Amino acid sequence: MLKTSLLFFATALCEIIGCYLPWLWLKRGATMWLLVPAGISLALFVWLLTLHPAASGRVYAAYGGVYVCTALLWLRYVDGVRLSVYDWVGAAVALGGMLIIVAGWSRA
């Protein structure tokens, strides 16, 4: 389960970076050259999705929980936004849902 969780985290990070860099270009006036690493990051995101060990619907459902946690960590440490108790509780619930889905993969 640790390997799957780390793979989910890497996948989420690639997706967030691939979306954040164009946002910087469009909203913050950053250089258009950020679209190159953004495209590479999104291509890596798609490739990482193919490495997950279960049917795609379950993978996407479980991945959503990790994505929520990763996005909140990004918000905190990259954007510098202080997270509320509700953010942390929501992240824990989302991560718990991911763990339940992953635990059931072998039984499906």
Side-chain angles (χ1 to χ4, degrees), residues 6-108:
L6 290 174
L7 185 57
F8 277 144
F9 177 74
T11 304
L13 204 53
C14 287
E15 183 179 8
I16 291 169
I17 290 168
C19 295
Y20 184 73
L21 295 178
W23 180 84
L24 286 176
W25 168 61
L26 289 169
K27 298 291 186 176
R28 299 283 172 107
T31 178
M32 182 186 257
W33 287 104
L34 287 178
L35 298 179
V36 174
I40 293 168
S41 184
L42 288 174
L44 185 57
F45 157 70
V46 171
W47 175 72
L48 287 170
L49 280 178
T50 69
L51 301 179
H52 294 278
S56 63
R58 285 190 184 106
V59 167
Y60 299 146
Y63 167 71
V66 175
Y67 181 85
V68 168
C69 294
T70 305
L72 287 171
L73 290 172
W74 183 276
L75 183 65
R76 174 66 188 110
Y77 294 107
V78 174
D79 290 334
V81 174
R82 185 172 179 176
L83 300 179
S84 71
V85 170
Y86 294 98
D87 293 324
W88 291 113
V89 170
V93 169
L95 194 58
M98 182 278 292
L99 292 172
I100 291 168
I101 292 169
V102 170
W105 282 353
S106 63
R107 293 170 180 82

